[in-house]
Structure formats: C-alpha cells, structure tokens
Amino acid sequence: DKSNNLYLLASPNTPTDGRASTIEIALTDAFAESDIASLLDDLTLMVGSGFFGLGFLDGVSKLPDGEAIAVTSRPLLDIDVDSVKTAVVASP
C-alpha cells in the first residue's frame, strides 16, 4: 500500500489464512535488512542475494491473511514474480 506495508493476500482458490508460516519474495534490485521491519511479534526476517523472506520459526505461529505483516522503507516495485524464490509456504 502507500505506506509500504506488506500484506499476505491469498486467492480464494488457495486460502492461506491460518496456514502459511513463511513468505519468500525475490527482487530484481538489492535489498538489505534495514529495508524492512516486521509488524508481528517473533516474525523472523531472512535476507539473501536477490530475495527476502519473513517467517515464524517456532513451527506453530501462522501469518494472518489480509493484515499488514511488515513495512518496507521503499515501494517493492521490483518483485520478481517469475522467480522460483517467490512463494508462500502453507501447510496442507
């Protein structure tokens, strides 16, 4: 959104609310840990070469669908939607 908040919004055909624990997003530009801040307690940030991830590492907590989960210091206009690193990991 205009505040650079990041949301998990699932398709009605692939509901993730209460099931997804991790989201990974590939970017075409450089990204640093200082570019993003979690808005949820215990949500861990992982930054790699060309991607970042947000997830709960406790094996129990799940990402809420439709709520802001993080805020970035800049708009994420460089998401690489065709990358195999862009994914939401959900339990069956």
Side-chain angles (χ1 to χ4, degrees):
D1 67 8
K2 291 182 180 180
S3 299
N4 295 339
N5 285 342
L6 180 65
Y7 298 81
L8 171 62
L9 299 172
S11 159
N13 296 325
T14 56
T16 61
D17 192 27
R19 295 171 50 193
S21 60
T22 303
I23 184 169
E24 296 177 4
I25 298 177
L27 302 171
T28 57
D29 286 333
F31 198 79
E33 282 191 42
S34 60
D35 290 332
I36 189 166
S38 170
L39 297 176
L40 303 176
D41 291 339
D42 300 322
L43 186 63
T44 301
L45 170 64
M46 299 151 274
V47 176
S49 178
F51 81 99
F52 73 90
L54 294 162
F56 291 108
L57 303 180
D58 63 8
V60 178
S61 300
K62 305 296 181 190
L63 293 167
D65 197 4
E67 294 179 29
I69 58 174
V71 62
T72 61
S73 62
R74 62 179 174 82
L76 293 179
L77 303 177
D78 53 343
I79 293 175
D80 186 355
V81 294
D82 293 327
S83 172
V84 295
K85 291 183 179 175
T86 298
V88 173
V89 179
S91 302

